[in-house]
Amino acid sequence: MTRYPVKSSTTRGFTIIEAIIAVGIIGSALIVGLSLAYSNLTSAQENNQRIIATQLAREALEVVRNVRDSNWLKRAANYDKDGLTNGIQLYNFNDDTGGVPLTNYVDIMLDQSLPHSNYMFTEQVATSDLLPCIQAGTAACRVQKKDGVYFQNSLQVGEFTPFYRRVTLKPICYKASVDFDFVDFDPAAADMLCSSGNPMLGFVASADVIWKRGGDKISEIQAKERFYDWRK
């Protein structure tokens, strides 16, 4: 009598279990791989934004330094800042680009009407620190981008970026009675004045850059430097 082999149901059962396990392992590997790729992409974006923010803060301080040095040159050349309207009015180290004494808050503006090779930075007086400007949605403190250049302007002339920037200035005053210098800052008064009898030696400039990342997450960079009137 001819005998035929009987197919075991256990063989088919083991095959299905193995397939399920294999699919689970492959799926887990894919999830881990995708998670790592997403994490790396997010980290790369955050690092790029931090680099841009750092450069924006450094740029603001360089503009402040350039304006101070330019004022020294104008003063040495006896350049009159108001065209002899009130006699000879020489530039001071703490004047803005228009010859007006600086206040505690300024924005670093870039004239976009000029060709790229002739970009001109100016300091524009502001009335508060950075957070109220962000909350009010004012364009002046919002960094824009046009033709690959990041800049600030009172009007929207480029694409808004996630970055906001403003510079805070605090006067460095000298107290002769105890022979030391100190930072004299009154948040309620937007001025750059030292109290009576304490001459101004310089000022501390703090460039703050704030940006949003990943939804509601907020990041901030601050660069700070002291600028003295050492040529006086």
Side-chain angles (χ1 to χ4, degrees), residues 154-173:
S154 299
L155 302 174
Q156 183 179 359
V157 294
E159 176 188 354
F160 279 138
T161 71
F163 303 100
Y164 297 82
R165 179 177 67 180
R166 180 157 286 176
V167 178
T168 301
L169 304 175
K170 302 177 181 180
I172 301 173
C173 308

Side-chain angles (χ1 to χ4, degrees), residues 59-75 91-102 106-109 120-124 169 203 227-229 231:
E59 177 188 69
L61 294 183
E62 287 303 315
V63 171
V64 172
R65 181 194 303 278
N66 181 268
V67 172
R68 180 203 62 175
D69 295 351
S70 296
N71 288 341
W72 276 339
L73 295 176
K74 292 174 182 177
R75 188 176 184 88
Y91 276 81
N92 294 311
F93 83 102
N94 59 324
D95 286 341
D96 65 11
T97 47
V100 179
L102 291 168
V106 295
D107 290 318
I108 306 301
M109 299 299 187
M120 180 181 295
F121 287 99
T122 58
E123 294 172 320
Q124 178 172 293
L169 304 175
F203 55 83
F227 297 93
Y228 286 95
D229 188 18
R231 293 190 61 178

Side-chain angles (χ1 to χ4, degrees), residues 173-215:
C173 308
Y174 176 69
K175 196 172 186 65
S177 59
V178 289
D179 191 25
F180 80 100
D181 60 290
F182 65 99
V183 176
D184 188 358
F185 178 63
D186 181 6
D191 58 42
M192 282 276 285
L193 301 176
C194 294
S195 54
S196 179
N198 299 321
M200 183 174 176
L201 302 179
F203 55 83
V204 178
S206 302
D208 295 291
V209 179
I210 294 178
W211 72 99
K212 290 184 178 181
R213 59 181 180 83

Side-chain angles (χ1 to χ4, degrees), residues 79-134:
Y79 187 87
D80 183 67
K81 60 184 179 182
D82 66 355
L84 296 177
T85 301
N86 298 310
I88 297 179
Q89 300 291 321
L90 299 179
Y91 276 81
N92 294 311
F93 83 102
N94 59 324
D95 286 341
D96 65 11
T97 47
V100 179
L102 291 168
T103 63
N104 289 129
Y105 307 106
V106 295
D107 290 318
I108 306 301
M109 299 299 187
L110 183 62
D111 189 347
Q112 275 283 317
S113 64
L114 298 173
H116 287 193
S117 58
N118 295 321
Y119 273 163
M120 180 181 295
F121 287 99
T122 58
E123 294 172 320
Q124 178 172 293
V125 172
T127 58
S128 68
D129 60 19
L130 189 52
L131 287 180
C133 180
I134 295 175

Side-chain angles (χ1 to χ4, degrees), residues 42 46 49-50 162 211-220:
T42 302
E46 291 179 357
Q49 289 180 331
R50 187 166 294 276
W211 72 99
K212 290 184 178 181
R213 59 181 180 83
D216 295 329
K217 295 181 180 178
I218 303 296
S219 293
E220 180 178 3

